[in-house]
Amino acid sequence: MSRLTQFITSESPIPAHMAFPSFLLTMSELSDSAKIIYCVLLCRAQLSQKRDGFTDEHGRIFIYYPIKDLAEAVHKSEMSVKTALSTLEKHELIVRKRQGVGKANRIYVKFPVDRNLSVRQTENCLPDGKKTVCHAERKLSGRYIERDNKKIDNRMSKAYGKFQNVFLSDDDISILQRTVPPYREYIERLSAYMQSSGKSYADHAATIRSWYLRDNPSPPARNYESEENESL
């Protein structure tokens, strides 16, 4: 079945896309799947550059990307993703560090130092000058991407939960401490649920508050208005 397409004009909105480093074109030893996955990881790493909590003690940026989520993002099987990651690690384009049983690996994205890299090749811009990010990132972490377009200096998100997939700012934590006493329990519930179901939420703090209010509904307000001739 043919797909509906259109020609690009000077006024055409450009579809969501991601940067493709030119050095990958010269690496014939990498499969197409490995190259695509590298681009997705690079996209996530670029976002982590602007977030607190994703820099190690040596100043190196790292990311978290569970195999299941990555497979969904690139429409590949989990086995294909594992093979591609092993290939990227073999060619020193990524480094993975285990974080313990049940936790997602920490991934460091690297690039060749002997290749000519251009800033123009690593940034994509929309017609209005706003930077765009890959569609997979927009789908899997709406709140994480949304904040990329806001100038917020004191509300940087950090990763929480067993699977490091719940993103909350310091302000979020402060509010949750006051409004959701067992907030740590709800962070773990949300982390486990997203990991097992594959679902994502635009605002993790709001989701936690919503779950808490659902589990602890306020008692109905009493009606103190009395009918005529009714004794108080």
Side-chain angles (χ1 to χ4, degrees), residues 28-125:
S28 58
E29 61 271 31
L30 296 182
S31 66
D32 290 341
S33 292
K35 293 177 181 179
I36 292 173
I37 288 174
Y38 178 84
C39 291
V40 174
L41 297 178
L42 179 63
C43 184
R44 175 68 66 92
Q46 285 179 303
L47 295 174
S48 295
Q49 285 181 310
K50 305 173 184 178
R51 299 286 176 262
D52 283 347
F54 294 95
T55 305
D56 67 11
E57 63 275 15
H58 303 292
R60 300 175 300 191
I61 296 295
F62 61 85
I63 64 175
Y64 294 105
Y65 220 138
I67 296 293
K68 181 179 179 180
D69 292 346
L70 190 52
E72 180 181 349
V74 299
H75 301 281
K76 300 288 184 181
S77 68
E78 293 187 20
M79 183 58 67
S80 296
V81 170
K82 291 178 181 178
T83 299
L85 291 175
S86 296
T87 301
L88 292 173
E89 198 160 34
K90 177 182 177 181
H91 288 86
E92 299 186 18
L93 290 177
I94 65 169
V95 172
R96 289 180 288 179
K97 289 192 175 182
R98 294 186 178 278
Q99 300 301 298
V101 179
K103 294 185 178 180
N105 289 337
R106 179 180 288 188
I107 303 176
Y108 292 85
V109 182
K110 304 175 68 178
F111 57 86
V113 295
D114 58 342
R115 314 264 181 165
N116 292 323
L117 298 179
S118 168
V119 174
R120 292 179 179 272
Q121 293 170 343
T122 59
E123 291 187 355
N124 293 315
C125 294

XYZ file of all heavy atoms in Angstrom, residues 28-125:
789
model
N 31.662 1.139 8.110
C 30.930 0.043 7.459
C 30.854 -1.200 8.334
O 30.038 -2.089 8.093
C 31.607 -0.307 6.123
O 32.968 -0.663 6.324
N 31.694 -1.245 9.370
C 31.673 -2.410 10.253
C 30.465 -2.399 11.191
O 30.186 -3.410 11.844
C 32.965 -2.476 11.078
C 33.197 -1.286 12.000
C 33.950 -0.147 11.326
O 33.799 0.014 10.108
O 34.702 0.559 12.023
N 29.764 -1.286 11.266
C 28.563 -1.190 12.092
C 27.326 -1.502 11.261
O 27.202 -1.067 10.117
C 28.420 0.205 12.691
C 29.488 0.676 13.676
C 29.138 2.073 14.185
C 29.625 -0.295 14.837
N 26.391 -2.223 11.849
C 25.126 -2.496 11.164
C 24.263 -1.239 11.180
O 24.507 -0.308 11.960
C 24.382 -3.636 11.868
O 23.974 -3.227 13.167
N 23.262 -1.219 10.309
C 22.348 -0.081 10.298
C 21.644 0.066 11.642
O 21.424 1.183 12.127
C 21.310 -0.239 9.180
C 21.912 -0.090 7.795
O 23.027 0.479 7.693
O 21.281 -0.529 6.820
N 21.289 -1.057 12.250
C 20.623 -1.009 13.556
C 21.526 -0.380 14.611
O 21.078 0.432 15.426
C 20.221 -2.418 13.998
O 19.205 -2.949 13.177
N 22.799 -0.738 14.595
C 23.737 -0.176 15.558
C 23.878 1.332 15.367
O 23.960 2.097 16.339
C 25.100 -0.853 15.427
N 23.885 1.777 14.115
C 24.008 3.212 13.840
C 22.771 3.968 14.324
O 22.874 5.063 14.898
C 24.218 3.440 12.345
C 25.564 2.920 11.839
C 25.703 3.098 10.329
C 27.042 2.559 9.836
N 27.196 2.691 8.365
N 21.606 3.391 14.078
C 20.369 4.045 14.517
C 20.325 4.120 16.038
O 19.975 5.163 16.611
C 19.145 3.281 13.977
C 19.063 3.434 12.452
C 17.860 3.792 14.636
C 17.994 2.571 11.818
N 20.681 3.043 16.695
C 20.661 3.027 18.160
C 21.673 4.016 18.721
O 21.416 4.696 19.719
C 20.921 1.601 18.671
C 19.681 0.738 18.388
C 21.265 1.597 20.153
C 19.849 -0.725 18.714
N 22.824 4.138 18.078
C 23.803 5.130 18.523
C 23.211 6.536 18.449
O 23.400 7.351 19.362
C 25.075 5.053 17.678
C 26.104 6.101 18.068
C 26.979 5.875 19.134
C 26.169 7.311 17.393
C 27.906 6.839 19.508
C 27.092 8.285 17.766
C 27.947 8.047 18.822
O 28.854 9.017 19.201
N 22.481 6.827 17.383
C 21.867 8.148 17.230
C 20.862 8.425 18.341
O 20.788 9.539 18.867
C 21.177 8.267 15.869
S 22.300 8.295 14.459
N 20.081 7.409 18.694
C 19.102 7.567 19.770
C 19.808 7.810 21.101
O 19.412 8.671 21.888
C 18.179 6.331 19.853
C 17.251 6.423 21.056
C 17.356 6.197 18.575
N 20.871 7.073 21.362
C 21.634 7.256 22.597
C 22.299 8.629 22.631
O 22.344 9.284 23.684
C 22.691 6.161 22.720
C 22.180 4.724 22.832
C 23.361 3.752 22.901
C 21.281 4.549 24.036
N 22.804 9.067 21.493
C 23.430 10.386 21.419
C 22.409 11.475 21.703
O 22.696 12.470 22.382
C 24.056 10.588 20.032
C 24.728 11.945 19.786
C 25.907 12.134 20.735
C 25.202 12.049 18.329
N 21.196 11.289 21.199
C 20.119 12.246 21.437
C 19.835 12.350 22.929
O 19.699 13.449 23.477
C 18.872 11.791 20.676
S 17.472 12.926 20.781
N 19.756 11.224 23.606
C 19.517 11.222 25.052
C 20.689 11.873 25.791
O 20.495 12.607 26.762
C 19.303 9.785 25.527
C 19.164 9.579 27.025
C 17.905 10.146 27.603
N 16.701 9.498 27.146
C 16.105 8.468 27.748
N 16.657 7.929 28.818
N 14.971 7.995 27.284
N 21.916 11.607 25.334
C 23.096 12.184 25.982
C 23.119 13.703 25.859
O 23.526 14.413 26.783
C 24.368 11.579 25.392
N 22.680 14.218 24.711
C 22.630 15.669 24.527
C 21.688 16.314 25.528
O 21.956 17.404 26.035
C 22.190 15.999 23.098
C 23.272 15.770 22.051
C 22.774 16.088 20.653
O 21.791 15.544 20.181
N 23.453 16.987 19.982
N 20.595 15.650 25.825
C 19.657 16.176 26.811
C 20.262 16.117 28.209
O 20.072 17.026 29.020
C 18.355 15.370 26.763
C 17.558 15.491 25.467
C 16.382 14.530 25.485
C 17.063 16.908 25.275
N 20.994 15.050 28.498
C 21.599 14.899 29.817
C 22.658 15.956 30.085
O 22.968 16.259 31.241
C 22.206 13.498 29.960
O 21.201 12.502 29.930
N 23.237 16.530 29.027
C 24.218 17.596 29.199
C 23.618 18.791 29.923
O 24.327 19.559 30.577
C 24.755 18.057 27.840
C 25.732 17.100 27.187
C 26.235 17.627 25.856
O 25.450 18.031 24.988
N 27.542 17.634 25.684
N 22.310 18.970 29.810
C 21.639 20.137 30.375
C 20.900 19.810 31.660
O 20.106 20.614 32.140
C 20.659 20.712 29.347
C 21.318 21.049 28.015
C 20.291 21.442 26.974
C 20.942 21.673 25.623
N 19.949 22.021 24.581
N 21.130 18.619 32.220
C 20.399 18.195 33.406
C 21.353 17.884 34.555
O 22.417 17.295 34.346
C 19.576 16.934 33.093
C 18.539 17.154 31.999
C 17.370 17.966 32.519
N 16.420 18.253 31.461
C 16.395 19.397 30.800
N 17.279 20.325 31.066
N 15.485 19.606 29.866
N 20.972 18.263 35.744
C 21.724 17.853 36.926
C 21.481 16.368 37.183
O 20.408 15.844 36.887
C 21.264 18.652 38.150
C 21.820 20.067 38.158
O 22.729 20.338 37.363
O 21.331 20.891 38.957
N 22.460 15.720 37.752
C 22.287 14.327 38.132
C 22.740 13.326 37.095
O 22.608 12.121 37.302
N 23.271 13.789 35.954
C 23.708 12.874 34.905
C 25.183 13.087 34.554
O 25.609 12.838 33.432
C 22.842 13.038 33.652
C 21.414 12.616 33.871
C 20.456 13.549 34.219
C 21.035 11.293 33.765
C 19.144 13.169 34.445
C 19.726 10.906 33.988
C 18.777 11.849 34.334
N 25.958 13.556 35.520
C 27.395 13.749 35.355
C 28.107 13.019 36.479
O 27.747 13.168 37.648
C 27.761 15.244 35.399
O 27.000 15.950 34.411
C 29.248 15.443 35.119
N 29.114 12.200 36.136
C 29.825 11.459 37.175
C 30.921 12.306 37.801
O 31.088 13.493 37.479
C 30.364 10.136 36.631
C 31.471 10.325 35.598
O 31.990 11.455 35.436
O 31.841 9.319 34.944
N 31.682 11.697 38.708
C 32.715 12.433 39.436
C 33.850 12.916 38.541
O 34.644 13.768 38.943
C 33.286 11.558 40.558
C 33.991 10.283 40.100
C 33.029 9.122 39.880
O 31.804 9.365 39.807
O 33.510 7.970 39.775
N 33.928 12.378 37.307
C 34.970 12.797 36.360
C 34.449 13.805 35.334
O 35.164 14.171 34.402
C 35.533 11.578 35.627
C 36.096 10.529 36.533
N 37.229 10.717 37.288
C 35.651 9.272 36.832
C 37.488 9.626 37.988
N 36.544 8.738 37.745
N 33.202 14.246 35.510
C 32.622 15.211 34.578
C 32.075 14.591 33.305
O 31.755 15.307 32.357
N 31.942 13.280 33.276
C 31.460 12.583 32.079
C 29.949 12.384 32.145
O 29.418 11.967 33.174
C 32.168 11.238 31.930
C 33.681 11.357 31.801
C 34.363 9.998 31.772
N 34.105 9.228 32.985
C 34.758 8.109 33.309
N 35.705 7.649 32.502
N 34.474 7.457 34.421
N 29.287 12.674 31.032
C 27.838 12.527 30.944
C 27.467 11.058 30.788
O 28.102 10.320 30.031
C 27.279 13.329 29.749
C 27.530 14.829 29.959
C 25.792 13.060 29.540
C 26.785 15.420 31.128
N 26.426 10.636 31.491
C 25.913 9.281 31.313
C 24.397 9.335 31.161
O 23.762 10.359 31.433
C 26.305 8.382 32.488
C 25.769 8.844 33.820
C 24.487 8.504 34.235
C 26.559 9.618 34.663
C 24.001 8.924 35.460
C 26.073 10.045 35.898
C 24.793 9.700 36.290
N 23.816 8.242 30.698
C 22.371 8.163 30.500
C 21.878 6.813 31.006
O 22.675 5.910 31.278
C 21.984 8.316 29.010
C 22.558 7.146 28.185
C 22.453 9.645 28.447
C 22.126 7.143 26.729
N 20.549 6.711 31.137
C 19.904 5.428 31.420
C 18.922 5.156 30.282
O 18.171 6.052 29.882
C 19.149 5.471 32.742
C 20.035 5.634 33.953
C 20.115 6.851 34.624
C 20.792 4.570 34.429
C 20.920 7.001 35.740
C 21.611 4.717 35.542
C 21.671 5.935 36.187
O 22.477 6.088 37.285
N 18.965 3.936 29.758
C 18.026 3.587 28.695
C 17.774 2.079 28.764
O 18.523 1.295 28.199
C 18.579 3.966 27.327
C 17.535 4.541 26.384
C 17.820 5.632 25.580
C 16.261 3.975 26.297
C 16.871 6.175 24.738
C 15.306 4.509 25.455
C 15.616 5.611 24.674
O 14.661 6.120 23.842
N 16.729 1.643 29.474
C 16.447 0.206 29.591
C 16.291 -0.444 28.221
O 15.808 0.189 27.274
C 15.128 0.172 30.372
C 15.125 1.456 31.152
C 15.796 2.460 30.254
N 16.718 -1.684 28.108
C 16.662 -2.421 26.841
C 15.255 -2.415 26.260
O 15.068 -2.181 25.054
C 17.124 -3.886 27.055
C 18.591 -3.932 27.493
C 16.929 -4.691 25.769
C 19.566 -3.492 26.440
N 14.264 -2.644 27.094
C 12.883 -2.703 26.613
C 12.457 -1.384 25.986
O 11.837 -1.357 24.916
C 11.943 -3.068 27.769
C 10.483 -3.177 27.363
C 9.617 -3.572 28.553
C 8.152 -3.654 28.140
N 7.290 -4.032 29.306
N 12.784 -0.270 26.642
C 12.417 1.044 26.109
C 13.156 1.337 24.809
O 12.592 1.905 23.869
C 12.728 2.132 27.135
C 11.831 2.055 28.354
O 10.812 1.336 28.282
O 12.131 2.704 29.369
N 14.425 0.971 24.758
C 15.224 1.217 23.559
C 14.699 0.397 22.387
O 14.622 0.888 21.252
C 16.685 0.892 23.842
C 17.722 1.306 22.785
C 17.582 2.764 22.413
C 19.128 1.025 23.311
N 14.321 -0.851 22.641
C 13.776 -1.708 21.592
C 12.473 -1.120 21.044
O 12.224 -1.133 19.840
C 13.523 -3.117 22.131
N 11.661 -0.581 21.940
C 10.402 0.039 21.505
C 10.664 1.296 20.684
O 9.982 1.560 19.695
C 9.555 0.389 22.726
C 8.215 1.035 22.385
C 7.411 1.405 23.610
O 7.787 0.973 24.716
O 6.417 2.135 23.473
N 11.674 2.057 21.087
C 11.981 3.309 20.392
C 12.434 3.090 18.955
O 12.083 3.856 18.055
C 13.049 4.092 21.162
N 13.218 2.045 18.728
C 13.771 1.797 17.384
C 13.023 0.708 16.628
O 13.411 0.339 15.523
C 15.270 1.441 17.472
C 16.060 2.587 18.085
C 15.487 0.162 18.271
N 11.949 0.173 17.234
C 11.129 -0.861 16.587
C 11.965 -2.091 16.210
O 11.869 -2.619 15.107
C 10.428 -0.295 15.352
C 9.529 0.866 15.658
N 8.263 0.711 16.187
C 9.716 2.206 15.535
C 7.704 1.899 16.362
N 8.572 2.818 15.995
N 12.782 -2.523 17.174
C 13.595 -3.722 17.009
C 13.345 -4.671 18.183
O 12.813 -4.270 19.209
C 15.090 -3.364 16.961
C 15.489 -2.426 15.827
C 15.454 -3.114 14.482
C 15.963 -2.184 13.389
N 15.922 -2.837 12.052
N 13.727 -5.922 18.012
C 13.590 -6.863 19.106
C 14.636 -6.558 20.171
O 15.667 -5.921 19.891
C 13.771 -8.294 18.606
O 15.116 -8.507 18.193
N 14.387 -7.004 21.398
C 15.348 -6.778 22.469
C 16.674 -7.470 22.166
O 17.743 -6.957 22.510
C 14.778 -7.267 23.804
C 13.586 -6.441 24.282
C 13.121 -6.820 25.673
O 13.920 -7.429 26.429
O 11.967 -6.516 26.021
N 16.623 -8.624 21.506
C 17.854 -9.326 21.141
C 18.671 -8.508 20.145
O 19.907 -8.428 20.250
C 17.526 -10.701 20.554
C 18.759 -11.535 20.206
S 19.826 -11.817 21.644
C 18.749 -12.876 22.623
N 17.986 -7.887 19.167
C 18.684 -7.056 18.188
C 19.339 -5.852 18.865
O 20.463 -5.459 18.520
C 17.714 -6.572 17.111
O 17.203 -7.658 16.368
N 18.650 -5.276 19.841
C 19.202 -4.136 20.570
C 20.430 -4.557 21.369
O 21.453 -3.866 21.378
C 18.132 -3.527 21.501
C 18.765 -2.508 22.446
C 17.030 -2.868 20.685
N 20.361 -5.696 22.025
C 21.500 -6.186 22.799
C 22.714 -6.424 21.900
O 23.851 -6.106 22.270
C 21.119 -7.469 23.531
C 20.105 -7.271 24.659
C 19.745 -8.604 25.309
C 18.726 -8.410 26.415
N 18.328 -9.696 27.038
N 22.458 -6.993 20.714
C 23.553 -7.238 19.764
C 24.180 -5.925 19.317
O 25.411 -5.788 19.246
C 23.037 -8.014 18.543
O 22.509 -9.273 18.961
C 24.158 -8.249 17.538
N 23.321 -4.938 19.011
C 23.814 -3.637 18.560
C 24.613 -2.944 19.659
O 25.678 -2.356 19.398
C 22.642 -2.764 18.125
N 24.142 -3.011 20.888
C 24.864 -2.390 22.003
C 26.231 -3.038 22.204
O 27.225 -2.358 22.478
C 24.032 -2.486 23.277
C 22.763 -1.627 23.332
C 21.969 -1.928 24.601
C 23.097 -0.140 23.265
N 26.276 -4.350 22.061
C 27.558 -5.056 22.197
C 28.523 -4.617 21.101
O 29.735 -4.448 21.339
C 27.337 -6.569 22.130
O 26.555 -7.023 23.217
N 27.993 -4.416 19.890
C 28.826 -3.963 18.773
C 29.352 -2.551 19.032
O 30.536 -2.263 18.809
C 28.024 -3.975 17.461
O 27.557 -5.302 17.200
C 28.881 -3.503 16.292
N 28.480 -1.666 19.505
C 28.897 -0.296 19.804
C 29.941 -0.275 20.912
O 30.895 0.514 20.868
C 27.684 0.543 20.222
C 26.653 0.836 19.122
C 25.421 1.526 19.713
C 27.261 1.697 18.016
N 29.777 -1.156 21.886
C 30.751 -1.229 22.975
C 32.085 -1.770 22.462
O 33.157 -1.299 22.866
C 30.202 -2.114 24.088
C 30.900 -1.930 25.421
C 30.067 -2.430 26.574
O 29.328 -3.433 26.397
O 30.137 -1.846 27.660
N 32.028 -2.749 21.567
C 33.246 -3.318 20.987
C 34.051 -2.258 20.249
O 35.295 -2.267 20.290
C 32.881 -4.461 20.038
C 34.064 -5.077 19.322
C 33.609 -6.169 18.352
C 34.784 -6.732 17.576
N 34.340 -7.780 16.600
N 33.342 -1.322 19.580
C 34.024 -0.266 18.822
C 34.215 0.999 19.656
O 34.518 2.074 19.118
C 33.232 0.051 17.548
C 33.317 -1.030 16.513
N 32.473 -2.118 16.507
C 34.151 -1.199 15.451
C 32.767 -2.915 15.492
N 33.791 -2.382 14.834
N 34.036 0.870 20.968
C 34.293 1.950 21.925
C 33.473 3.204 21.652
O 33.928 4.323 21.878
C 35.791 2.290 21.950
C 36.659 1.123 22.377
C 38.118 1.508 22.531
O 38.413 2.707 22.646
O 38.967 0.593 22.525
N 32.238 3.015 21.196
C 31.336 4.143 21.007
C 30.404 4.306 22.203
O 29.762 5.355 22.351
C 30.514 3.973 19.723
C 31.314 4.113 18.434
C 30.423 3.863 17.222
C 31.952 5.504 18.336
N 30.325 3.286 23.039
C 29.607 3.393 24.309
C 30.360 2.585 25.356
O 31.150 1.694 25.023
C 28.149 2.879 24.230
C 28.115 1.374 23.955
C 27.333 3.653 23.215
C 26.728 0.747 24.124
N 30.089 2.902 26.610
C 30.590 2.126 27.739
C 29.410 1.903 28.676
O 28.690 2.849 29.001
C 31.721 2.859 28.495
C 32.071 2.117 29.780
C 32.948 2.986 27.613
N 29.201 0.658 29.082
C 28.096 0.349 29.999
C 28.653 -0.049 31.358
O 29.611 -0.806 31.443
C 27.237 -0.785 29.437
C 26.407 -0.372 28.227
C 25.567 -1.528 27.706
N 26.391 -2.535 27.033
C 25.909 -3.663 26.510
N 24.610 -3.922 26.613
N 26.711 -4.515 25.903
N 28.023 0.455 32.406
C 28.419 0.111 33.771
C 27.190 -0.377 34.528
O 26.170 0.318 34.584
C 29.027 1.324 34.474
C 30.403 1.702 33.951
C 31.082 2.709 34.854
C 32.523 2.979 34.386
N 33.207 3.934 35.296
N 27.303 -1.535 35.111
C 26.194 -2.107 35.876
C 25.961 -1.305 37.150
O 26.896 -0.846 37.791
C 26.480 -3.569 36.212
C 26.522 -4.482 34.986
C 26.663 -5.938 35.399
N 26.650 -6.825 34.256
C 25.541 -7.255 33.649
N 24.361 -6.874 34.123
N 25.616 -8.057 32.616
N 24.673 -1.176 37.520
C 24.309 -0.417 38.711
C 23.687 -1.293 39.787
O 23.135 -0.789 40.753
C 23.329 0.696 38.321
C 23.877 1.684 37.318
C 25.129 2.382 37.826
O 25.086 3.075 38.825
N 26.241 2.185 37.127
N 23.725 -2.588 39.600
C 23.157 -3.486 40.589
C 21.995 -4.274 40.026
O 21.459 -3.959 38.957
N 21.582 -5.286 40.749
C 20.496 -6.161 40.304
C 19.201 -5.382 40.173
O 18.800 -4.649 41.071
C 20.307 -7.326 41.301
C 19.153 -8.214 40.852
C 21.587 -8.133 41.437
N 18.554 -5.530 39.017
C 17.265 -4.888 38.794
C 17.343 -3.441 38.363
O 16.310 -2.810 38.121
N 18.540 -2.889 38.273
C 18.694 -1.489 37.878
C 19.227 -1.391 36.449
O 19.996 -2.243 36.007
C 19.652 -0.767 38.821
C 19.130 -0.636 40.243
C 20.085 0.187 41.089
C 19.556 0.365 42.502
N 20.478 1.171 43.338
N 18.799 -0.347 35.746
C 19.265 -0.137 34.376
C 20.749 0.215 34.378
O 21.244 0.891 35.289
C 18.460 0.989 33.721
N 21.462 -0.245 33.358
C 22.882 0.072 33.242
C 23.091 1.560 33.012
O 22.277 2.228 32.369
C 23.520 -0.699 32.080
C 23.657 -2.174 32.368
O 23.690 -2.599 33.521
N 23.729 -2.974 31.327
N 24.183 2.066 33.536
C 24.595 3.430 33.196
C 25.333 3.356 31.864
O 26.246 2.543 31.693
C 25.497 3.982 34.295
C 26.011 5.376 34.041
C 26.898 5.856 35.177
N 26.133 6.157 36.377
C 26.652 6.732 37.455
N 27.955 7.054 37.475
N 25.896 6.979 38.508
N 24.948 4.197 30.911
C 25.558 4.175 29.569
C 26.292 5.487 29.305
O 25.720 6.571 29.465
C 24.501 3.958 28.474
C 23.729 2.651 28.720
C 25.159 3.932 27.089
C 22.605 2.416 27.729
N 27.559 5.377 28.934
C 28.353 6.532 28.514
C 28.449 6.495 26.990
O 28.861 5.491 26.417
C 29.756 6.476 29.106
C 29.817 6.658 30.611
C 29.636 5.562 31.458
C 30.065 7.903 31.167
C 29.695 5.713 32.836
C 30.128 8.068 32.542
C 29.944 6.971 33.375
O 30.002 7.120 34.736
N 28.053 7.578 26.333
C 28.139 7.662 24.873
C 29.448 8.361 24.503
O 29.779 9.415 25.053
C 26.939 8.440 24.285
C 27.027 8.478 22.760
C 25.629 7.793 24.725
N 30.197 7.762 23.593
C 31.491 8.307 23.184
C 31.481 8.611 21.686
O 30.554 8.233 20.972
C 32.599 7.293 23.503
C 32.642 6.865 24.977
C 33.680 5.766 25.205
C 35.087 6.273 25.009
N 36.100 5.213 25.272
N 32.504 9.311 21.225
C 32.648 9.561 19.792
C 34.132 9.584 19.443
O 34.978 9.843 20.301
C 31.981 10.878 19.367
C 32.484 12.095 20.096
C 33.617 12.773 19.650
C 31.831 12.567 21.212
C 34.081 13.894 20.307
C 32.281 13.685 21.886
C 33.410 14.351 21.436
N 34.472 9.290 18.187
C 35.886 9.238 17.779
C 36.538 10.610 17.872
O 35.945 11.618 17.493
C 35.824 8.763 16.319
C 34.477 8.140 16.183
C 33.575 8.908 17.087
N 37.758 10.652 18.375
C 38.462 11.933 18.492
C 39.270 12.240 17.241
O 39.740 13.358 17.063
C 39.410 11.926 19.714
C 38.612 11.815 20.995
C 40.429 10.797 19.611
N 39.400 11.267 16.355
C 40.204 11.480 15.149
C 39.335 11.725 13.930
O 39.779 11.616 12.799
C 41.108 10.271 14.892
C 40.305 8.986 14.748
O 39.141 8.971 15.183
O 40.856 8.019 14.208
N 38.070 12.086 14.162
C 37.172 12.398 13.054
C 36.825 13.873 13.125
O 36.810 14.489 14.184
C 35.888 11.583 13.152
C 36.129 10.107 13.444
C 36.142 9.289 12.203
N 36.339 7.882 12.508
C 36.123 6.912 11.652
N 35.687 7.172 10.437
N 36.343 5.654 11.989
N 36.537 14.455 11.993
C 36.145 15.861 11.955
C 34.666 15.982 12.278
O 33.813 15.526 11.531
C 36.418 16.461 10.563
C 37.898 16.557 10.269
O 38.690 16.847 11.165
N 38.269 16.318 9.022
N 34.379 16.595 13.417
C 33.006 16.783 13.832
C 32.638 18.246 13.690
O 33.420 19.130 14.010
C 32.817 16.347 15.282
C 33.092 14.872 15.580
C 32.887 14.607 17.070
C 32.166 13.981 14.769
N 31.440 18.483 13.205
C 30.967 19.842 13.030
C 29.764 20.087 13.911
O 28.887 19.248 14.021
C 30.579 20.088 11.561
O 29.872 21.297 11.425
N 29.737 21.244 14.566
C 28.579 21.591 15.384
C 27.328 21.618 14.536
O 26.247 21.236 14.967
C 28.800 22.962 16.060
C 27.541 23.400 16.802
C 29.977 22.895 17.027
N 27.448 22.049 13.295
C 26.295 22.103 12.410
C 25.712 20.712 12.166
O 24.535 20.560 11.898
C 26.669 22.741 11.071
C 27.011 24.220 11.170
C 27.403 24.777 9.820
N 27.710 26.196 9.898
C 26.835 27.156 9.768
N 25.561 26.851 9.572
N 27.174 28.422 9.847
N 26.573 19.697 12.242
C 26.112 18.343 11.969
C 25.460 17.705 13.187
O 24.824 16.678 13.073
C 27.292 17.480 11.518
C 27.854 17.905 10.174
C 29.157 17.203 9.863
O 29.802 16.655 10.755
N 29.557 17.203 8.608
N 25.623 18.308 14.363
C 25.087 17.711 15.578
C 23.914 18.480 16.145
O 23.416 18.147 17.202
C 26.185 17.628 16.654
O 26.677 18.943 16.918
C 27.321 16.737 16.205
N 23.449 19.521 15.460
C 22.299 20.263 15.924
C 21.285 20.385 14.803
O 21.629 20.673 13.660
C 22.699 21.666 16.396
C 23.523 21.656 17.666
C 23.756 23.055 18.187
O 23.340 24.008 17.492
O 24.346 23.205 19.266
N 20.051 20.148 15.120
C 18.969 20.321 14.168
C 18.088 21.444 14.656
O 17.823 21.560 15.836
C 18.124 19.041 14.061
C 18.925 17.920 13.452
O 19.613 18.116 12.457
N 18.858 16.741 14.057
N 17.614 22.276 13.752
C 16.775 23.393 14.152
C 15.482 23.399 13.357
O 15.457 23.072 12.169
C 17.492 24.728 13.930
S 18.941 24.934 14.989
